Each structure stands twice: as C-alpha cells, then as structure tokens.
Amino acid sequence: MQSNKGHKLDELLTCFICLSNLTNPHICPCCSKLCCYSCITKWLTENRQCPHCRSTLRIQQLVNCRFLEDIVAQNDPCPLHNAQLQYYCVTCAHPICSECAMFSAHKMHEFEHIQKVFDSKIKDVKTKMENVQEKLKNLKNSAVMIDELMDELNRSKDERVQEIQAYTEQLLQKLEQTHTARMGNLQMQRQRLNEKILIASAELDTISQQIKGYQKSKTIMTAQELLQRIESVNVEPEQIGGVPMNFQSEITPQYVCDTFELNSFNQSEEIVYSDHLITNGIRWRLKIYPHGNGNAKNIYISIFLEMDSKYAEIRRYEYKIEMINQKNGLSVIREFASDFEGGECWGYNRFFRIDLLQKDGYLVNDKLLFKYYVRAPNYYTQCLDMQRYIKQLESQVSIQQTTRKIEQQSSIQKLKEEIEQYAEKIEQLEQSQPSNTSEIQESEDDHQLQQQQDEESSSSSNHSDYYFDGQYQEIPIQQESLPIRRNLIQKFNQSSLVNTSQNLRSPLSEFSENLYS
C-alpha cells in the first residue's frame, strides 16, 4: 500500500512531456497536469493547445507551481525503506525515514524533524538570496551610475570639441584677416610700382618715337629738351617689403634659442656641455660628443639636448639643433620632438661626419658654432611648466623665510645670553665693592647725565657709573677691578647687542624687557 502511494507520488511529480523530474514546474489550468516550464514553452511555440488535454493554451495562461518544493521535501521517499522522509540526522547530515531513525544505524544519532530543518535551510537560503539581491541591486545602481558617467563624459567631450572648433574658427578668421591686410599692403606697393613703370615706359616710348620721326636738325635742336624729359622720368626705387612674413601662432609657443661655440675641437674632451638655457625654470643644455658616441665613435659627431632639471613628470618638447657653416652661412638642422624626463637627453648619435666638418666649412680655426632651440608643443604645457616653476620659487622663498626666522631667533637668544652675562658681571662688580658705597644720586636731566658720562670716559677716576632702573648709580671700585671692567665693556661693545639697542646707556632692565617681549 505504501509502495503504491510512493509510485503515485513519483508519477505526480514527473513531467508528462519529458517524463523526467520536474524543473520549474507549471500547471495547465485546464487539466492540472504538471510539466517543466521549458518543455511546455517549447511545445507551445509550435502548437497552440495542451499536449495532454488538447485544450487551447497560451504561455501566459500557465500557472506557476510554487508549492512543489514543499511537496517534494515532504514526500521524497527513503531509498532504503521507500517510506516518507520525516527526520533529519544531524550526525550524518542526511534526511531519514522513521524506520531509519528507530531500527538502523541512525537510532543512536541526533536527529530533528525534517520540516524544522527544511524551514531553517529555506530561511538561510532566502536570507542569503536577499543579501545577494541587495548586492545585485547595488551593482545595477552602479551600472546605471557608470552609464550616467559615460554620458557625462561624452557631453564634456562634445563641449570641448565645440570649444576647440569655435576657437579654431576664430584663429582661422584672425589669420585670414592678418593675411588679407598684409597682402593688401603688398598689393598697394605692387600697384604703385606698376603705375610708375607704366608712366616711365610710356614717356620713354614717346621720346623714342619722337627721335625716330624727327629730322637730324630738329633732333639736335630739341636734344636738350629730350634730355630734360628723360631726366624727369621717375624711376627712383620704391621701398618695398616691410611686411612680416611669419604669423604668430596662438597654439604653439615660439622657440627659445641659445648659441654655443665649441673651441679646440680636436683637443676637446670626450663630453662637452654648453651653458644652460632656462625656459620656465627648466634648464636645458647641449651634450656634445666631439669624437662620437657608441657605434658612431670616431665617425660621426654626436649631439644631444639634455634636460638638466630634476622633474619626475614626463612631458613632450620640441627642439632643434643647428650647426652653422662658417663659410657660406648655411646650416645643418636636425628637428625632432621627444618625451623628456628630468636628467634625460635626446638627440642624434650620427649628427654629422667628422671627416667632412672642415671640408664643408663647418670647422674653421678648430671651432664649431651651434644654435639650439627648444619649446613646449603647446601653450597648455608651457602653462604647466610655469605653474611648476612658480611653486618651486614659492618653496624656495618659504625656505629662506624659515631660515631667516631661525637666524633671527638664534640672534635674539644670543642677545639674551649677552644681557644675562652683562648683568651677572655687573652684579659681581657690585658685590666686590666695599660696604661704604656712596648713595645713589638721581640725575636731574639727560644733559647732566651725558656730561657725567663724558667725564667718566675722559678721566681715570676709580669709580663705576651706569644707568639702572631709571636711576644713575655711582659705585667706587678698587684699582684691581678696573681691567675686568674695561674687558667687560669692550666685549659688550663688540657684541651684536650694540647694534640692537638704541642707546647703550638706556636702562638695562627696560632693554631686557623689550627684547624678551
């Protein structure tokens, strides 16, 4: 009986089209037969009726069987006893029937009801699916954001293209206007010359016809007049030109140029460097191998342009190297564009054959003349170089200011130490005086104080006076302390404190207070 139930359940859960286990099962609404969604979909693409009941059927009419998983989980037969699986062996991690739980090797194992385990597993799966769906949603949002960014990037590109096109049209229009103006100037010069040529030619033709038609006597009589007419013909040369032939580019900067003379070519060293050419803070120089480099040794002269600056960025620059012919003024010019990095050099290993230098007029008196040119390929690169140079200068100024501040602080500290030493020496002098020191006499005015100071410097009296705490003090001292005092005053006068204080006789305490503040 139980076997018949299991057989009927297997038949119920079998697709009636492919006769296999159901996958994504759907139900015909007419006959309620279960079939795989892929099978019935493939059938209905060619037929418009149910393969079981022959009723008219469309894919949209199929009913999704969502409860099939529960049915399968509850009615899977035990492979050993062909009974319904009701328990789950936790020890073996396998679903079992009641007979397995009671009589087989599973009876001493730990097991739970299969529905509870099923619900737990389904919950875990759904939770995991929700997490994945949430991440999938984030991925879809990210994909949408990327699409928006791509659209924004395309819009930005289109805007730049429009700007470039508009700017290019303006440059072309400006170039055309400049060309028209200069061409008009040249055409006016040409027109004036044509008019002068026509007038002179017509006058000369007239005189020539008259000479041919006149008799000898008449020609002799009118010769003076003819000479005057010939002299009056305006054939003075016109000032031509005066129109620039080059057009200033607003896209590409002008070349920056420098010259270099290589003297004593035959006795020169293996490598010769030119002076530096500085453009926007970048130091350039020629690096010349007079006797060749590498495979060109003793065959060709090798010349390179070196970026003698420490920059980690790689940028493209255009350059020209010119060797001047000292006999006919012609030159050998090599022009190129390369990506330069700080300390890197680019040029020509085979610039010119050494044996032809003197023969062709480039080497004269054992001397070669060079010109070298360099420029940024556009104003944008030049602007970046200028910004970098400005930052470099600002950094140097900041370092100088910091250094100056440290030096000032060091100088102030030195002044403080000198003041403390000076005060300590004065205190020692005061303590070395006899007990019957005269009382402090207050100065009546600055004139009397200055007079007393002058008297002190001119006399050799045995007393010490100074201005302290707003009072003028006179302290008799012993003869043996005079050398110490003179040495102290001499050191104090030689110190930087003299240049800092406004008055050497100003109150010591007031000066110290101002300095410390």
Side-chain angles (χ1 to χ4, degrees):
M1 186 71 177
Q2 196 173 20
S3 177
N4 293 333
K5 290 183 179 180
H7 179 72
K8 291 182 179 179
L9 183 60
D10 291 339
E11 183 180 355
L12 177 64
L13 300 178
T14 301
C15 175
F16 70 90
I17 298 177
C18 65
L19 301 178
S20 300
N21 293 331
L22 289 169
T23 303
N24 192 7
H26 280 64
I27 300 176
C28 173
C30 299
C31 61
S32 300
K33 288 293 280 187
L34 287 168
C35 56
C36 299
Y37 183 73
S38 59
C39 296
I40 191 65
T41 303
K42 189 180 299 183
W43 171 270
L44 292 178
T45 53
E46 300 177 358
N47 305 277
R48 297 298 181 183
Q49 58 185 4
C50 175
H52 183 263
C53 63
R54 303 299 177 181
S55 300
T56 303
L57 183 62
R58 300 290 183 270
I59 296 178
Q60 295 81 4
Q61 296 176 330
L62 295 173
V63 179
N64 186 10
C65 184
R66 298 180 180 178
F67 54 87
L68 181 66
E69 294 181 356
D70 296 338
I71 296 174
V72 173
Q74 293 177 2
N75 295 279
D76 280 345
C78 176
L80 297 177
H81 305 97
N82 199 18
Q84 184 178 356
L85 299 176
Q86 297 179 345
Y87 302 98
Y88 179 80
C89 180
V90 179
T91 306
C92 299
H94 195 275
I96 57 176
C97 66
S98 57
E99 293 188 16
C100 292
M102 295 178 62
F103 304 108
S104 68
H106 297 282
K107 64 180 181 179
M108 300 301 296
H109 294 175
E110 179 182 358
F111 51 88
E112 295 181 358
H113 197 277
I114 195 171
Q115 184 63 39
K116 181 180 179 181
V117 177
F118 173 78
D119 295 340
S120 176
K121 297 294 183 182
I122 290 297
K123 182 178 180 181
D124 294 341
V125 171
K126 289 184 177 179
T127 303
K128 194 68 175 180
M129 288 183 62
E130 290 176 357
N131 295 335
V132 173
Q133 288 176 352
E134 185 66 26
K135 293 181 180 179
L136 181 61
K137 181 179 178 182
N138 294 335
L139 289 178
K140 292 180 179 178
N141 293 335
S142 299
V144 173
M145 291 179 62
I146 291 177
D147 293 338
E148 294 176 353
L149 292 175
M150 293 172 64
D151 295 339
E152 181 66 23
L153 185 62
N154 290 331
R155 285 194 297 269
S156 178
K157 177 204 169 185
D158 294 338
E159 291 176 359
R160 298 292 84 76
V161 170
Q162 293 177 1
E163 290 177 359
I164 293 173
Q165 291 176 348
Y167 183 63
T168 304
E169 291 176 0
Q170 293 178 2
L171 292 180
L172 293 175
Q173 184 178 2
K174 184 177 179 180
L175 178 62
E176 187 65 30
Q177 292 175 354
T178 305
H179 176 266
T180 302
R182 294 181 182 179
M183 187 62 70
N185 192 346
L186 293 176
Q187 289 175 351
M188 291 177 60
Q189 295 181 20
R190 177 63 184 273
Q191 184 177 359
R192 287 198 302 268
L193 287 176
N194 290 337
E195 293 175 355
K196 184 178 290 188
I197 291 171
L198 289 174
I199 294 173
S201 299
E203 184 68 15
L204 292 176
D205 290 341
T206 302
I207 295 173
S208 178
Q209 293 296 330
Q210 290 178 358
I211 292 174
K212 291 179 180 180
Y214 287 169
Q215 297 178 356
K216 294 181 180 180
S217 60
K218 189 173 182 180
T219 302
I220 293 173
M221 295 298 295
T222 59
Q224 185 65 31
E225 179 185 354
L226 293 176
L227 290 174
Q228 292 178 355
R229 290 175 59 185
I230 293 173
E231 290 179 355
S232 64
V233 175
N234 185 10
V235 289
E236 294 295 328
E238 289 281 341
Q239 183 178 0
I240 62 175
V243 178
M245 294 294 103
N246 296 324
F247 295 92
Q248 176 65 37
S249 174
E250 297 187 16
I251 298 177
T252 305
Q254 295 292 320
Y255 276 107
V256 181
C257 173
D258 199 2
T259 60
F260 174 63
E261 294 185 1
L262 177 57
N263 298 310
S264 303
F265 172 78
N266 292 314
Q267 288 77 32
S268 59
E269 299 178 355
E270 182 180 358
I271 303 177
V272 178
Y273 292 97
S274 69
D275 295 333
H276 284 98
L277 170 65
I278 301 178
T279 61
N280 300 317
I282 302 177
R283 296 156 58 92
W284 304 92
R285 64 180 180 180
L286 282 181
K287 184 177 182 180
I288 303 175
Y289 294 82
H291 310 294
N293 177 49
N295 297 331
K297 192 77 171 178
N298 298 323
I299 302 176
Y300 291 88
I301 178 174
S302 304
I303 305 178
F304 302 90
L305 180 68
E306 181 181 29
M307 177 191 282
D308 191 24
S309 297
K310 296 180 179 179
Y311 292 120
E313 302 176 11
I314 300 177
R315 289 181 184 166
R316 195 169 189 82
Y317 294 92
E318 299 176 356
Y319 59 95
K320 295 190 296 184
I321 300 176
E322 176 182 0
M323 186 171 63
I324 302 173
N325 192 307
Q326 301 181 52
K327 290 184 177 180
N328 55 24
L330 299 178
S331 302
V332 175
I333 301 178
R334 302 284 189 264
E335 185 174 357
F336 206 64
S338 301
D339 296 329
F340 282 87
E341 189 177 4
E344 196 172 31
C345 59
W346 289 91
Y348 306 90
N349 215 32
R350 300 183 178 184
F351 188 85
F352 200 84
R353 285 180 56 178
I354 297 176
D355 57 345
L356 298 179
L357 288 174
Q358 188 170 2
K359 179 181 177 181
D360 293 350
Y362 295 99
L363 181 62
V364 177
N365 297 328
D366 205 25
K367 179 177 68 174
L368 291 175
L369 297 180
F370 295 97
K371 282 186 178 180
Y372 57 103
Y373 310 77
V374 64
R375 70 179 178 186
N378 48 63
Y379 280 104
Y380 175 72
T381 303
Q382 188 180 52
C383 180
L384 293 179
D385 292 338
M386 295 176 66
Q387 291 177 351
R388 181 172 56 185
Y389 186 42
I390 290 173
K391 291 182 179 179
Q392 181 181 357
L393 293 177
E394 290 176 347
S395 177
Q396 293 177 359
V397 171
S398 177
I399 293 174
Q400 292 176 358
Q401 291 177 349
T402 303
T403 304
R404 191 179 299 112
K405 185 176 180 180
I406 293 175
E407 291 176 352
Q408 291 176 353
Q409 291 177 352
S410 177
S411 178
I412 292 174
Q413 182 65 27
K414 184 178 179 181
L415 290 176
K416 292 178 180 179
E417 294 176 356
E418 291 178 357
I419 292 174
E420 292 174 355
Q421 293 177 1
Y422 185 67
E424 183 179 356
K425 291 294 183 181
I426 293 177
E427 184 178 357
Q428 292 177 359
L429 288 175
E430 291 176 349
Q431 293 177 358
S432 64
Q433 305 309 315
S435 58
N436 55 350
T437 303
S438 60
E439 296 181 355
I440 297 175
Q441 299 178 356
E442 181 178 359
S443 176
E444 296 178 357
D445 51 25
D446 294 340
H447 177 71
Q448 183 178 359
L449 174 60
Q450 184 64 36
Q451 183 178 2
Q452 292 174 356
Q453 293 173 353
D454 294 340
E455 291 176 356
E456 177 198 3
S457 60
S458 60
S459 63
S460 59
S461 58
N462 297 336
H463 70 275
S464 173
D465 55 349
Y466 59 94
Y467 203 62
F468 186 72
D469 287 342
Q471 295 178 340
Y472 179 73
Q473 300 183 9
E474 180 178 354
I475 304 175
I477 59 176
Q478 298 178 358
Q479 186 70 23
E480 58 272 11
S481 64
L482 287 175
I484 300 176
R485 180 178 181 272
R486 294 193 189 98
N487 188 21
L488 175 62
I489 294 176
Q490 183 179 3
K491 290 183 178 180
F492 177 74
N493 291 335
Q494 293 175 354
S495 66
S496 58
L497 182 62
V498 177
N499 298 326
T500 306
S501 64
Q502 297 179 355
N503 187 355
L504 290 177
R505 293 293 182 176
S506 61
L508 180 61
S509 60
E510 181 181 355
F511 178 73
S512 301
E513 182 179 355
N514 293 337
L515 183 61
Y516 277 84
S517 61

